[in-house]
Every structure is written in C-alpha cells, then in structure tokens.
C-alpha cells in the first residue's frame, strides 16, 4: 500500500505460501475499500484479508480474515453510494460463482450467501442496494442486496464477461466481454414495486479485440475506456 501519489510504500503484507514442490503459489485478486476505514483483498485460497486503515499514520493492521468462500476470489465490490435502508455494503465473488453479501464494520457480518449457478462470476459491482454480477456464460444477473434475491437475468454477451463498472452518479452499467462488445445499460428501480430494472442503452464493437478491461472515466458515465487481451492500448469512447 502506497501514499496517494505513489511515492512511498507505507505497508506490505506477505501472503502465506504453502510448502511442497506441487503447491500452487498464492496470489491476491479482488480489492475494494469500504465506506469505513477498511480495505478488503481477496486471495486464491478463498480467504479475504481485511486491512484496518487508521485515519492518521501508517499503522495498518490485518483486523479480520473472512473464510466463507471455498474457491479462489475473483472480485470484490463495495457500495459507496448514499443509498439508505440496506445494511449490506460489500459483495465478494469466487471462481465457482458463489456470491457473499456482507455488512462491513468492526465485525464483518455475512448477510446472504448466493449459491453458484454453474458458471464463474468473473466481475461484480454494487450500487444503491443493487448488485450486478457478470459470468463466464455471458450473462449479467442483478441481485437485491437487502434480500439476496436475483431480480433480473440478462443474456448480455456471447462469451465470457470480463469487466463490469457502474457510474456512481447516474447508475449506468458498463460491461465488456471476450466477444469484442462493450455495452452500456441503465439501472433503475420501479417506483411502485421497487423491483430492479435494466435497460440497454448503447453497444460498441471493438473489432478483433477480446475485451478484458472496461471502466467509466467520469461519475456520470459520459465516457468509458476499454482494453483487450494482448493489446497495448487503452481505447476511450466519449458520448456526443
């Protein structure tokens, strides 16, 4: 962990390395900062390390290790919106497709554990009490963070969904996949039933590129950037 300008490394943590010639190396995958002073980092063992970040100084400590997953962690996301009424604010995903929804704090509490649907959950995002999960079968599934119930299933892509992002100010959802397509969706809730609704807004084809990274460039979602497998460029798109 570094100072915000990247100039000084203030903390490092050595993950446990198993012994034996056939033991696989342990690596970190998935990171998210909660609204409180914690940073969660996933690992290939399925554990999630919770780091306590002090308001001042560099006395960073491992305050908890979450052991609910049995497969390597693929992604972690936190709900940093001002949504009220839902105590769940963190979601973690693993290689088997299991999702765990948590309430962060001094004692992290498991709120819901969503069973696998038979496909890896490769990317997950959380916003305003909604959870967007992208899967290896090309689907995006939307969950209600408060109840853990799946409310929307979208056949979004023809191949593996590699990246999701949500524009915090508008609720736009960005998805990128190995099928070379990047799509923008609009997330909302029905004012009468409070059910999650997803509307397709825009599609871009990145010709001959297996998209592996996609992210909005501003909180409104008026621009986004993508990159692809074996591509040394970042391509930026602007809404006009």
């Amino acid at each position: 962990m570094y100072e915000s300008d990247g100039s000084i490394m203030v903390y490092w943590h050595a993950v446990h390395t198993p012994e034996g010639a056939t033991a696989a190396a342990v690596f970190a995958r998935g990171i998210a900062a909660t609204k409180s002073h914690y940073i969660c980092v996933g690992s290939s063992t399925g554990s999630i390390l919770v780091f306590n970040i002090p308001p001042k100084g560099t006395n960073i400590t491992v305050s908890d290790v979450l052991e609910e997953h049995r497969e390597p962690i693929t992604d972690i996301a936190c709900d940093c919106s001002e949504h009220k009424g839902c105590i769940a604010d963190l979601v973690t995903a693993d290689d088997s497709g299991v999702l765990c929804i948590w309430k962060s704090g001094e004692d992290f509490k498991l709120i819901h554990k969503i069973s696998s649907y038979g496909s890896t959950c490769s990317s997950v995002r959380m916003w305003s009490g909604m959870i967007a999960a992208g899967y290896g079968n090309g689907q995006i599934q939307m969950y209600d963070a408060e109840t853990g119930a799946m409310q929307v299933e979208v056949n979004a892509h023809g191949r593996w969904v590699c990246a999701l992002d949500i524009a915090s100010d508008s609720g736009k959802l960005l998805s990128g996949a190995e099928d070379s397509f990047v799509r923008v969706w609009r997330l909302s809730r029905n004012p009468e039933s409070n059910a999650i609704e997803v509307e397709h807004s825009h599609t871009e084809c990145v010709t001959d590129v297996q998209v592996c990274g996609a992210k909005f460039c501003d909180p409104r979602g008026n621009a986004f950037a993508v990159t692809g497998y074996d591509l040394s460029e970042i391509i930026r798109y602007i809404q006009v």
Side-chain angles (χ1 to χ4, degrees), residues 163-165 174-176 182-184 204 206 211-218 221-228 231 233-239:
L164 295 177
D165 193 30
L174 181 68
S175 63
V182 184
R183 291 192 165 96
V184 179
E204 284 287 342
V206 190
V211 176
C212 65
K215 189 169 181 62
F216 284 116
C217 301
D218 63 283
N222 294 324
F224 61 87
V226 302
T227 190
L231 182 68
E233 300 173 342
I234 296 174
I235 306 170
R236 189 168 184 261
Y237 296 85
I238 302 175
Q239 181 181 352

Side-chain angles (χ1 to χ4, degrees), residues 145-159:
E146 183 176 4
T147 65
M150 183 181 71
Q151 294 198 358
V152 180
E153 183 177 82
V154 183
N155 292 319
H157 292 273
R159 296 185 68 180

Side-chain angles (χ1 to χ4, degrees), residues 9 20 66 75 109 112 138 143 151 159-160 166 181 185 190 193 205 217 228:
M9 182 175 68
L66 310 179
D75 203 10
K109 181 181 178 181
H112 298 290
Y143 298 89
Q151 294 198 358
R159 296 185 68 180
W160 194 289
I166 295 180
F181 285 95
W185 317 80
N190 187 298
S193 64
C205 179
C217 301

Side-chain angles (χ1 to χ4, degrees), residues 90-195:
L90 185 75
V91 60
T92 56
D94 68 26
D95 262 344
S96 70
V98 168
L99 299 180
C100 289
I101 304 173
W102 308 83
K103 176 186 180 298
S104 67
E106 187 174 344
D107 293 313
F108 278 65
K109 181 181 178 181
L110 180 67
I111 306 299
H112 298 290
K113 188 171 184 177
I114 301 172
S115 300
S116 169
Y117 283 87
S119 184
T120 295
C121 179
S122 52
S123 185
V124 66
R125 288 294 179 268
M126 198 174 190
W127 178 79
S128 194
M130 310 178 203
I131 296 172
Y135 292 86
N137 59 7
Q139 289 185 342
I140 296 174
Q141 295 178 356
M142 297 296 305
Y143 298 89
D144 186 286
E146 183 176 4
T147 65
M150 183 181 71
Q151 294 198 358
V152 180
E153 183 177 82
V154 183
N155 292 319
H157 292 273
R159 296 185 68 180
W160 194 289
V161 177
C162 294
L164 295 177
D165 193 30
I166 295 180
S168 58
D169 287 359
S170 64
K172 291 180 181 179
L173 171 67
L174 181 68
S175 63
E178 289 183 344
D179 60 2
S180 300
F181 285 95
V182 184
R183 291 192 165 96
V184 179
W185 317 80
R186 290 186 181 274
L187 306 181
S188 62
R189 285 188 181 269
N190 187 298
E192 297 181 0
S193 64
N194 202 39

Side-chain angles (χ1 to χ4, degrees), residues 198-210:
V198 179
E199 178 186 1
H200 176 256
S201 176
H202 183 73
T203 293
E204 284 287 342
C205 179
V206 190
T207 306
D208 297 329
V209 172
Q210 290 184 342

